[in-house]
Amino acid sequence: MPQQPTAQVTAAEISRIAGVTRATVSNWRRRYDDFPDPSGGTESSPLYDLETVRTWLASRGHASAASPAEELRTTLRLSPPSADGGGTADLLLLVLAAARRTPDQLTAAARLPDTDLAVRAERDAAGVADAVPGGGGVRFAGIDAAVLRALYVCVRDEGGQATLGVLAERELEDSAASGAYRTPPPLADLLARLLPGAPARVLDPACGSGALLEAAARRGAAELYGQDVLPVQARRSAVSLLLTAPPGTTVSVRAADSLRADAFPDLAADAVLCNPPFGDRDWGYDELAYDPRWAYGVPARAESELAWVQHSLAHLTPGGYAVLLLPPATAGRASGRRVRAELVRSGALRAVVALPVGASVPFHIGLQIWILQRPEAGGPERKSVLFVDTAESSAADAKTDARTGPRTRGGSRSASLDWARITDQALGAWQAFAADPDAFEDEPGVARAVDVVDLLDETVDLTPARLVRASRADVDPAKLAAEADATRRNLVKAAKSLGRAAGYDDWDAAGGSAREWRTATVSDLARGGALALLRPLPDTVRTRAHAASGATGGKGRPETRTVLTGSDIASGSAPSGNPMGPYDDTAPVIAVGDVLVRAVASGDGPMARVADEADAGALLGHVHLFRPDPARLDAWFLAGFLGAEDNIAGASTGSTVLNVSPGRLRVPLLPLEEQRRYGEAFRRVHELRAEAQRATRLAEETARLLSGGLTGGQLLPSARETAADAAPVRGRGGDSPH
């Protein structure tokens, strides 16, 4: 009988298992003669036997510091293919079954012998097979035991959604699928909130991971229908919805191409939410030329997005709404002019909302939200279309918060955007327009209702920026001048504060070489009681809490609380997020003195901070919370070292998205008095960064107001003689160029 190949790991994977840096592994290789010899690879990229490495680490007292999700990710990569070929598709089904078990049941399952564990997993998955597309015929064997054990532990400790993410990531890599990504939660929430009323039956014909349908369920939808061309995404969406949707919700997800093979041909939905694929020239133009869905004109080959628009409208009941996320080219491309004209003329297009760059993939493009309504026979005449430009106003936003004063958006990723501001602007304008289009009052530079006859020109360009900016001349000159002057005065004050913060210089050189110290991992410190590591409420607990308390939140609930997000830490702002699902009273709540670290590593802004009064009482977003024992750890000392660039890099895993494993972060072992000296220095550094951010934001806002006022005609250059007027203009040799 052939022997199964042994699992091999790289030096980088050893560092993740041990919770140390890659440099430490290199030092071990040089210093310790008993360090395992390479079992494969090359001289420059050696591979090591996994079990031999784990034995050596255990002999040195290095227990695994990898998170359950990282353990599952590593086990998936190292495990041989399933004997029955089920692979990740079967594991997705098992997540749903595991999430319905108690933590004790999951622990007991993970401790079973390999063969018994495979039988147990097969029986669990078979019990939920009917709920997931293609869920029948699940088979596991003893060879799958390592993956099954890691999956049960991951569901127990990190919840079903985190486990789904690891499995889908692996499956999408294996299938070479492209263009598959999850709609950011704040954007999904906005799209669902743009649906008027409370639609009960919601369809997403390109559901992907199910984020939009999850958002609809949070808004009260009772029937959820989804379809996706990728089977793995359809399965993931079905499992995710069954994990998070309230009890009693109907979930029906199918795997097929919605345009070519509609799985719900007779469905009349109350609403459609969709983030369709962009730029697909192979969407079915040739075989669907005479399709009855093209009530507004046959989409050109380059206009797959307009095919999705009409597919969505065809699935609506009369008067029902569709909200789609589309690329900006859809609004102005010449090949789509005739379809756009008919959508406007018929009254099907109700609004177009421009989003800032970075709202979703592709991050370098400012996407748009189209809101459509299926016309009703004998319904009211629709004389105008609403256009909202959150992209322009978001870039110029000077919203004041409890921490840093005026702030503007920055960065190129969704997490760095001010979603509260974007949502308020889009929702406020749309709700006012939907209530009474004829009485809607334009908001200069942000929102404008444009008459249908003015849109039906030779281009039918529906780009919000072009149409909204036409209303800027309505801005009151006196009001703009006063706003610019007030912002300028705040900038002067901020510049003085920055100067004071920059004056701190209480440090000395370490000498001829950098200081070295002994360190401990956060996992070690937590085991010793020096700190507590708190996490957001797991998905399974959150779902059970919802079932027990009802949609209104039950036990007095934290739906009224704000949520601290990673972008709040990066931008230095107060908690700005909204709870994205039901919580019970066990959800961690931030207290003054807690140390907060972003769960996703990036180079934009600080990674950590110490909670103050503005943070107290907020819930955790995608953030790790460390609660130190003040008799053993200084909070600012802890925040400074946890957020250090090298520390974050050594504890991060992933390729495009770097997830921070909190247990692997390392902290120097120093006396408390010395910690406090470091802590005071880190606090001063934090103050310097905060003042610099505030001054930068105010400078950008002041420049925007002045520039916009000058070009818009509200401000005039002063008639007073300027320095340039008073000074002679000199050319070569001191002569005037005239």
Side-chain angles (χ1 to χ4, degrees), residues 401 403-404 407 564 567-569 571-576 609 615:
D401 63 29
R403 182 179 299 277
T404 60
R407 65 179 186 169
L564 181 83
S567 61
D568 294 328
I569 296 176
S571 64
S573 65
S576 64
R609 78 176 184 217
D615 298 322

Side-chain angles (χ1 to χ4, degrees), residues 509-516:
S513 61
R515 181 181 181 180
E516 296 183 358

